[in-house]
Every structure is written in C-alpha cells, then in structure tokens.
C-alpha cells in the first residue's frame, strides 16, 4: 500500500469512527428510528453525501454499533460463564464484571437496552442474532457438565438463554442506577447475586419432566 493510499484509508477509518461516536452520543436521548442522518453528519462536520461512503443508511450504522456494543460484553461474560459453577466467588466476579462494563461503556449499554425492542428491524435482528450466538457458546460450555446428569440439549440451551437474559437485564439495571448512586448500585448487585444463586440452585435440582 502506498503512503497516499495509507493516509486515505486512515482518514476513512477516522471518519467512520467519528460517525459512529456521533451517532452513539446523539442516541443518548433518542431512539435510532428518530435519528436524522443530517444530525449525525452535522455533528461530525462532514457533508451528508460523505455518510454513504461508510454506511448504506442509518440502519447499517446501527448494526455496526450493535456489533461494537455487544462484542466486548459478549467476550467478557462468555469467559466468566464458561466456568460458572454456582460458586459465590464466581458469581461475585460475574456481577462485578458487568458493573464495571456498564461504568466503562454506558452509552453502548443504553443503546442496546433501547434498541433491543426498538423500531429499526435490522438493528433488532442484529441484537437478537448476537445474543443467540452468545447463548450458543454458553450452551456449548455447559453441555459437557450437564448432559451426563440427564440434561437434554434443549434444556441446556434454555439455561444458557436464561444466563444471557440475566446479564442483559443486570447491565440495564446497573445503567439505570448510574451515575453517582452507590446505594442503588449495591442494591442492583445484591439482587443480581441472589438471582444468579437461585438460577444455580435450580440448575442443580433440575429434573427433566
């Protein structure tokens, strides 16, 4: 790649990043379905036509934000749940990891929470697909431990979905407790721990009807 091509590519990536950051900032107070393309380009300081060099439309930008928003959470929680055995210390680590992720990426969590059931179909489907992939990986981690105890693949998948839904719910609850509400955050953490312990206890005593 020539120097000129490299500079041009770097500038393109910089503009794409700026468009995503601007959209994420604007989505703090509104849904994607109400966001205007000109709002985004105006915030970045580029012409509306420049937007189409990076995204087909705002739905396409929204899907890119989904991949970014869930990507880091996906890997973080997947690593923790892979070893989840109901141990209180591991549950504490899981809850703290979610809390820390929300502190670091509140705008991403807010975007997912709002758009998971929002008005842009492509984004809803992208979120659902990412969460399904997450649940598949968690189920794959659980299968070697649970199938010897009589768990069917369908029930293992159901349990994985329960963990994934709980993580999203907990992240949203932490978000609503932010910022500067340590007492509310502690309450969310305590509730999440109890819920995870309840899921773990139920898992141990599950019997396929």
């Amino acid at each position: 790649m020539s120097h000129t091509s490299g500079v041009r590519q770097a500038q393109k990536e910089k503009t794409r990043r700026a468009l995503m950051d601007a959209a994420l900032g604007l989505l703090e107070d509104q849904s994607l379905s109400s966001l205007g393309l000109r709002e985004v380009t105006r915030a970045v300081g580029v012409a509306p036509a420049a937007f189409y060099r990076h995204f087909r439309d705002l739905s396409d930008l929204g899907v890119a934000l989904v991949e970014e928003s869930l990507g880091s959470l996906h890997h973080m929680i997947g690593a923790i749940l892979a070893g989840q055995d109901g141990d209180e210390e591991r549950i504490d680590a899981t809850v703290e990891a979610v809390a820390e992720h929300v502190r670091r990426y509140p705008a991403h969590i807010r975007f997912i929470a709002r758009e998971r059931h929002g008005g842009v179909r492509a984004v809803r489907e992208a979120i659902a697909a990412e969460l399904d992939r997450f649940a598949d990986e968690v189920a794959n981690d659980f299968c070697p431990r649970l199938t010897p105890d009589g768990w069917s693949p369908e029930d293992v998948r159901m349990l994985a979905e329960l963990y994934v839904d709980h993580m999203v719910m907990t992240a949203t609850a932490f978000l609503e407790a932010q910022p500067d509400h340590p007492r509310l955050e502690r309450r969310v953490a305590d509730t999440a721990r109890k819920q995870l312990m309840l899921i773990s206890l139920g898992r141990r005593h599950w019997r396929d009807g």
Side-chain angles (χ1 to χ4, degrees):
M1 180 184 292
S2 69
H3 175 71
T4 301
S5 298
V7 170
R8 188 180 299 117
Q9 182 62 29
Q11 183 58 47
K12 183 177 181 180
E13 291 174 0
K14 182 179 179 181
T15 302
R16 177 185 170 88
R17 177 74 263 162
L19 288 167
M20 291 177 67
D21 288 343
L24 197 59
L26 290 165
L27 290 169
E28 291 271 350
D29 302 309
Q30 62 182 308
S31 65
L32 184 63
S33 60
S34 66
L35 183 66
L37 185 150
R38 289 181 180 274
E39 286 182 79
V40 179
T41 55
R42 189 183 306 119
V44 176
V46 298
F51 179 91
Y52 296 104
R53 299 190 193 113
H54 306 277
F55 303 101
R56 293 188 301 274
D57 50 30
L58 283 174
S59 295
D60 191 33
L61 184 151
V63 170
L65 286 175
V66 170
E67 293 170 354
E68 179 175 84
S69 299
L70 285 178
S72 55
L73 182 65
H74 174 95
H75 293 302
M76 179 193 72
I77 302 302
I80 295 171
L81 288 182
Q84 181 65 268
D85 59 3
D87 178 77
E88 290 188 29
E89 291 182 2
R90 193 171 298 279
I91 288 176
D92 286 345
T94 301
V95 173
E96 179 52 37
V98 175
E100 179 59 27
H101 191 83
V102 174
R103 294 185 200 110
R104 294 180 62 188
Y105 306 107
H108 288 89
I109 300 301
R110 185 175 292 106
F111 169 73
I112 294 299
R114 179 179 286 142
E115 300 301 330
R116 187 181 185 186
H117 305 292
V120 180
R121 180 177 178 178
V123 173
R124 289 199 314 271
E125 291 177 347
I127 293 172
E130 285 291 320
L131 295 180
D132 276 346
R133 186 166 64 89
F134 190 177
D136 284 341
E137 293 183 5
V138 174
N140 287 338
D141 287 324
F142 283 164
C143 268
R145 282 172 281 171
L146 297 180
T147 51
D149 293 333
W151 283 67
S152 69
E154 293 77 15
D155 285 347
V156 173
R157 185 56 160 73
M158 176 185 67
L159 178 64
E161 290 175 359
L162 186 58
Y163 273 109
V164 171
D165 284 341
H166 184 271
M167 291 301 100
V168 175
M169 179 186 72
T170 299
T172 304
F174 274 124
L175 180 67
E176 293 173 353
Q178 299 285 330
D180 303 324
H181 289 88
R183 198 165 83 177
L184 287 177
E185 186 176 289
R186 285 195 298 272
R187 186 183 303 168
V188 170
D190 288 344
T191 299
R193 290 188 189 97
K194 290 176 182 177
Q195 290 169 337
L196 280 173
M197 184 59 71
L198 184 61
I199 293 171
S200 182
L201 289 171
R203 186 194 75 190
R204 295 174 187 172
H205 296 286
W206 178 261
R207 292 292 182 271
D208 189 359

